[in-house]
Amino acid sequence: MIKNFIRTSRWLTRRQIDIISQVALRRYSYVSSRNTSRNIIERRFASSSSSTQVCDIEPAVFEEICSETLESLCDYFEEIVESDPNLKGADITYTDGVLTVAFGGNYGTYVINRQTPNKQIWLSSPVSGPKRYDLILKDGGYWLYKHDGVSLHQLLQNEISKIVKNKVEFSNCTHSLV
């Protein structure tokens, strides 16, 4: 019952955040429907154009988007652990903007945390190492690693699928581009 209450509270909070995020995304993003090939290139390779990156977004809006992303990831990781019998010893904690997913000795620990001064989310992966993701304000907002053009959710989907030996879908998480 308490878990349902918490999930309902998170849902209501996300709904309010979605409204704020949509306003912020409309205000700060620029999508040109005339030049779609340019949009695809910018989306894939994260151009340094100010129209695709977070630069002047309000700190409160950035914090809300980060919190929404991390809470969504936390909820999904909990679902993955509950449904996979091989991960019963896994431990998931989310406090103070830091999500820690300890899968155990064979698989390692993922740490995902927000970096407010840099306006990034940082990932420490036992498979691919450390990465820094920037918020791209297109398509509802998503987190992208500029060096390889792979989104946070896409990388997690690929790596976690190998751990659980089943395909997992991070596309339902908020601010996902998979």
Side-chain angles (χ1 to χ4, degrees):
M1 184 169 136
I2 292 173
K3 192 172 187 176
N4 288 337
F5 175 75
I6 292 171
R7 286 188 182 187
T8 303
S9 298
R10 284 184 183 166
W11 180 82
L12 290 171
T13 303
R14 283 190 196 123
R15 186 169 175 163
Q16 289 176 336
I17 292 169
D18 282 343
I19 293 168
I20 293 170
S21 299
Q22 290 171 5
V23 170
L25 292 175
R26 269 189 253 127
R27 182 175 174 197
Y28 291 106
S29 65
Y30 172 77
V31 178
S32 171
S33 60
R34 294 182 188 156
N35 195 350
T36 56
S37 63
R38 180 172 176 244
N39 287 338
I40 292 169
I41 291 170
E42 285 178 350
R43 185 165 129 188
R44 178 71 182 131
F45 296 106
S47 167
S48 62
S49 167
S50 63
S51 67
T52 61
Q53 292 182 2
V54 174
C55 45
D56 295 328
I57 192 168
E58 296 293 323
V61 173
F62 179 79
E63 289 292 323
E64 293 297 328
I65 292 172
C66 282
S67 294
E68 186 177 67
T69 301
L70 292 171
E71 286 176 8
S72 174
L73 286 171
C74 181
D75 289 343
Y76 191 59
F77 275 117
E78 287 174 353
E79 288 178 27
I80 291 170
V81 168
E82 288 174 6
S83 66
D84 193 319
N86 297 328
L87 299 176
K88 292 301 176 197
D91 183 37
I92 301 167
T93 57
Y94 175 58
T95 36
D96 248 356
V98 179
L99 173 61
T100 305
V101 182
F103 284 120
N106 294 340
Y107 306 115
T109 300
Y110 286 81
V111 179
I112 307 168
N113 65 307
R114 69 173 167 242
Q115 291 293 319
T116 304
N118 301 344
K119 296 187 178 175
Q120 295 176 325
I121 284 184
W122 289 6
L123 166 72
S124 174
S125 164
V127 177
S128 58
K131 296 188 185 285
R132 298 175 178 187
Y133 290 88
D134 294 297
L135 178 62
I136 305 299
L137 296 175
K138 285 190 173 183
D139 300 324
Y142 59 94
W143 299 93
L144 189 74
Y145 184 58
K146 289 189 221 175
H147 298 287
D148 62 8
V150 176
S151 74
L152 170 66
H153 293 83
Q154 191 173 20
L155 178 105
L156 289 172
Q157 182 168 302
N158 293 339
E159 291 185 9
I160 304 304
S161 290
K162 292 175 184 172
I163 290 173
V164 299
K165 296 176 179 69
N166 286 324
K167 183 153 173 86
V168 293
E169 293 290 332
F170 279 84
S171 58
N172 292 332
C173 295
T174 58
H175 302 290
S176 168
L177 181 70
V178 178

